Amino acid sequence: MRVVIAEDLFLLRDGLARLLREHGFEVDAVDNGPELLDLLLDDPPGVAVVDVRLPPTFTDDGLRAALAARRRHPGLPILLLSQYVEQLYARELLDDGAGAIGYLLKDRVFDADQFLDAVRRVAGGGTVLDPEVITRLLRRNDARGTVSALTERERDVLQLMAEGRSNSAIAAQLHVSDSAVTKHIASIFGKLDLAPSTDDNRRVLAVLAYLNQ
């Protein structure tokens, strides 16, 4: 699988490229937004790992390039990296509802297994959101009362759903049965007025889209 990396810090860019190549990926790497956009438009990769803030402006050049590429190639897998939790970027990612998206804090890339798992999950059409991003979204919307109707256990299930976990993975994490998780999820959708879906990725996107309204 081919991966495009867009990161302006040489040491981080080089380290990610080496890690990915060691695990069988083909890698192209750039350090600015315009070159990233050209690569994504001309030869879409299996997944792009993109720093939100890139030259030339060091604001949101990476994000804008990724969004422009996804408009041309819907569903193009994008894994964004950011130094801080910026809720706007999570919302921008979720808006098109096409899946194959991720948003990790840069601290997470120093855990090689976690980073490689995120790359593979996004490339496979899944959703990967940093737990801290999810926590911020839940906290903000809880203050507005949007998740106040959920029980503590349902909030735990919702957070794990938002991280892209399957029902079985949620059950294992919470030490409950699969059937208990299924009941919790049905209750969550009912309380949030969201229609259940058999598509796990669409389910995650629906929940997060609601939380991020």
Side-chain angles (χ1 to χ4, degrees), residues 121-135:
R121 285 166 61 189
V122 172
T127 301
V128 178
L129 289 183
D130 195 284
E132 182 63 22
V133 175
I134 298 166
T135 298

Side-chain angles (χ1 to χ4, degrees), residues 197-210:
S197 170
T198 57
D199 184 314
D200 187 64
N201 187 57
R202 284 174 56 207
R203 177 185 69 178
V204 172
L205 292 174
V207 172
L208 290 178
Y210 179 88

Side-chain angles (χ1 to χ4, degrees), residues 4 14-15 18 39 58 65 69 82 89-90 93 104-105 134 139 148 155 159 162 168 177 181-182 198 201 203:
V4 167
D14 185 62
R18 287 174 182 269
L39 268 181
F58 292 98
S82 181
Y89 299 149
L93 275 175
L104 292 182
L105 295 183
I134 298 166
R139 185 182 304 142
S148 60
R155 287 167 60 87
Q159 177 154 339
S168 295
S177 66
V181 171
T182 299
T198 57
N201 187 57
R203 177 185 69 178

Side-chain angles (χ1 to χ4, degrees), residues 70 74-78 93-94 96-102 122 125-127 201 205:
R70 278 175 66 96
L76 175 68
I78 300 290
L93 275 175
L94 295 168
D96 66 11
I101 56 175
V122 172
T127 301
N201 187 57
L205 292 174

Side-chain angles (χ1 to χ4, degrees), residues 33 36-37 40 50-54 59-71 78 80-81 86 88-93 102:
L36 168 64
L37 183 57
L40 297 183
V50 179
D51 186 359
V52 167
R53 298 177 183 272
L54 288 174
T59 55
D60 59 353
D61 298 74
L63 173 68
R64 286 190 285 109
L67 292 174
R70 278 175 66 96
R71 284 193 291 270
I78 300 290
L80 284 183
L81 303 179
E86 302 184 71
L88 172 63
Y89 299 149
R91 184 170 66 250
E92 291 282 355
L93 275 175

